[in-house]
Amino acid sequence: MVKEFISQEKILSKNFFNCKWEAPSNIALIKYWGKSPVQIPMNPSISFTLKNCLTKTDISFEPIKNTSNKVKFEFTYNGESKSDFNSKLEIFFERIINYQPFLIDYYLKINSVNNFPHSSGIASSASAMAALSACLIDFENSHNPIVKKHKKTSFLSRLGSGSACRSVSGPIMTWGKHSKIPKSNDFYATKFLGYHQIFDTYCDSILLVDSGKKEVSSTLGHELMKKHPFASSRFKQAKNNFSLLCVALKSGDLDSFIKIVENEALQLHAMMMTSNPYFILIKPKTLNIINEIRDFRRKFNIPICFTLDAGANVHLLYPQIHKSDVLEFIKKNLSIYCNNCYINDEVGVGIKKIKFVL
Ligand code: DP6
């Protein structure tokens, strides 16, 4: 138990309450892949918080009599009942109940909607868990003010989905203990400070090679790292890449940035391809895009690079000054590999409260 986040047992004025929050997805530059219980990463990670790929979640809290020790809730996606998410939510509530024990006394009506395809390799669980946690913290805070609101939101989010803890703030977040980051820890994300101004407006165009359901859940992927023959070497390399990336983020050295970020993306997929059972999540079109990116970079000396999530989609990262050239390049050379489906995003600042309209 992490004492600083344990809340009062009861909420005294038991009234109906509702609120709505949005949270963005994030894209990891140093990947979190491998964890120990409960939701403790095997290596520190760094991510860009995004701006346009969002989950919007509203919750109504209705006081009830509940003699069980489980949180009672219903979940709808865009107004329609979606039982697929219930088991994930049940696990989440079991993990957070010690930190928000008063939730037992309420019935939670949760409705969520994404503006991008969920389960497609865009980290939808990250934005979903961050938006949900933001609502829970808003509820708690409006009755019993919390001092470290953002920290506790990130803490709860992590218990829903590890990478979600990095979606609460932005634009660059780290999660996991590392000697280079003061106050870094395994329980919630911390802002990466002192980065070069080029990263203030960094862009991420996400090419949707495959917007279908993921073949492997990240939970299973993390599990497979436990017996992975290369696990200890991977964790060592992630820590080393983390240190190197901190330097590149501060100096704005884009050559190093590109080398480290692409290496991390490929290591992630190398881990999946060499686990038992193995998973090949990249598609031939993913490789076509990667080759095009390398050619374009060499030919025009424009510092774009790719990263990948646990799926076939490609995140194209580049400084904003090159946006028009890159968009032209996507239209001309890459759109054929993604059926012209791509999302232009950029770095953002994290969760935001939305005016609630019933
Ligand atoms: C490849 O955060 O989805 O996106 O903690 O089991 O929910 P759980 O895993 P999740 O894993 C994300 C893996 C990744 C890399 C990253 O975002 O760091």
Side-chain angles (χ1 to χ4, degrees):
M1 291 269 280
V2 180
K3 281 204 190 104
E4 67 175 307
F5 294 122
I6 297 176
S7 300
Q8 292 180 32
E9 194 76 22
K10 295 267 175 231
I11 282 196
L12 295 174
S13 59
K14 274 205 223 152
N15 293 324
F16 176 86
F17 180 88
N18 61 28
C19 62
K20 187 169 186 173
W21 283 77
E22 66 176 41
S25 180
N26 70 74
I27 179 66
L29 306 171
I30 301 296
K31 308 293 181 184
Y32 148 59
W33 199 245
K35 62 179 167 184
S36 64
V38 179
Q39 299 290 94
I40 300 299
M42 296 303 290
N43 65 264
S45 56
I46 304 186
S47 54
F48 280 153
T49 301
L50 298 179
K51 197 185 221 167
N52 302 328
C53 289
L54 298 168
T55 299
K56 296 183 187 199
T57 297
D58 59 80
I59 307 187
S60 10
F61 300 81
E62 300 171 7
I64 48 159
K65 280 216 171 347
N66 179 4
T67 48
S68 79
N69 56 1
K70 282 192 184 331
V71 177
K72 305 270 188 206
F73 68 90
E74 66 184 46
F75 176 78
T76 51
Y77 182 82
N78 204 11
E80 284 175 25
S81 154
K82 258 262 188 265
S83 53
D84 319 10
F85 295 106
N86 283 356
S87 57
K88 198 157 179 144
L89 286 168
E90 271 161 25
I91 295 172
F92 171 65
F93 284 121
E94 270 166 33
R95 285 178 184 161
I96 69 158
I97 198 60
N98 284 324
Y99 301 102
Q100 292 201 313
F102 48 81
L103 289 178
I104 292 286
D105 298 327
Y106 292 83
Y107 185 74
L108 275 55
K109 285 189 179 158
I110 308 166
N111 181 54
S112 226
V113 64
N114 288 350
N115 64 356
F116 57 93
H118 59 82
S119 304
S120 66
I122 300 185
S124 61
S125 63
S127 52
M129 288 300 175
L132 174 63
S133 303
C135 291
L136 298 177
I137 292 295
D138 192 0
F139 175 58
E140 176 178 349
N141 187 59
S142 64
H143 294 81
N144 306 324
I146 309 172
V147 186
K148 297 169 178 170
K149 260 191 302 184
H150 269 56
K151 281 185 188 158
K152 189 164 177 183
T153 309
S154 174
F155 176 83
L156 294 187
S157 305
R158 181 197 109 242
L159 293 171
S161 180
S163 56
C165 71
R166 300 184 312 233
S167 275
V168 173
S169 305
I172 306 179
M173 300 299 289
T174 76
W175 168 42
K177 190 144 189 54
H178 194 281
S179 55
K180 288 261 185 313
I181 308 288
K183 297 196 178 149
S184 60
N185 69 86
D186 291 340
F187 304 110
Y188 56 85
T190 44
K191 274 193 196 192
F192 183 88
L193 301 172
Y195 57 85
H196 189 276
Q197 63 180 34
I198 195 145
F199 297 109
D200 254 331
T201 51
Y202 227 69
C203 297
D204 177 6
S205 292
I206 309 161
L207 308 173
L208 302 175
V209 172
D210 180 14
S211 53
K213 202 168 160 44
K214 278 202 277 181
E215 278 167 54
V216 57
S217 71
S218 25
T219 305
L220 176 61
H222 291 292
E223 188 60 32
L224 290 171
M225 285 304 283
K226 288 191 179 146
K227 288 190 183 152
H228 199 294
F230 305 146
S232 63
S233 159
R234 159 65 196 149
F235 301 142
K236 220 155 116 198
Q237 293 196 43
K239 280 176 204 148
N240 192 38
N241 277 344
F242 186 104
S243 303
L244 297 172
L245 189 66
C246 289
V247 177
L249 287 170
K250 285 190 174 158
S251 66
D253 173 355
L254 293 184
D255 286 341
S256 312
F257 176 84
I258 288 169
K259 273 196 195 112
I260 302 158
V261 168
E262 293 191 345
N263 178 254
E264 276 292 307
L266 296 172
Q267 280 198 27
L268 171 70
H269 283 263
M271 289 303 106
M272 295 177 200
M273 288 185 203
T274 48
S275 63
N276 182 13
Y278 65 84
F279 293 94
I280 304 178
L281 299 188
I282 47 175
K283 305 272 184 219
K285 287 175 182 168
T286 314
L287 296 176
N288 290 332
I289 293 172
I290 290 176
N291 285 330
E292 292 272 2
I293 291 169
R294 295 173 75 192
D295 288 349
F296 178 81
R297 186 164 67 215
R298 254 186 240 128
K299 206 159 148 197
F300 298 103
N301 207 16
I302 290 181
I304 60 168
C305 69
F306 68 85
T307 189
L308 307 164
D309 241 322
N313 301 331
V314 181
H315 289 248
L316 203 55
L317 303 176
Y318 51 94
Q320 199 181 35
I321 34 163
H322 297 294
K323 191 165 181 176
S324 58
D325 288 330
V326 174
L327 293 185
E328 190 65 35
F329 164 58
I330 294 176
K331 269 197 205 121
K332 223 170 119 205
N333 299 45
L334 305 182
S335 58
I336 43 161
Y337 301 118
C338 57
N339 210 8
N340 210 18
C341 287
Y342 53 95
I343 300 168
N344 292 319
D345 212 334
E346 59 190 282
V347 295
V349 292
I351 55 170
K352 195 171 112 196
K353 186 162 183 163
I354 308 171
K355 211 170 161 254
F356 193 87
V357 191
L358 268 180

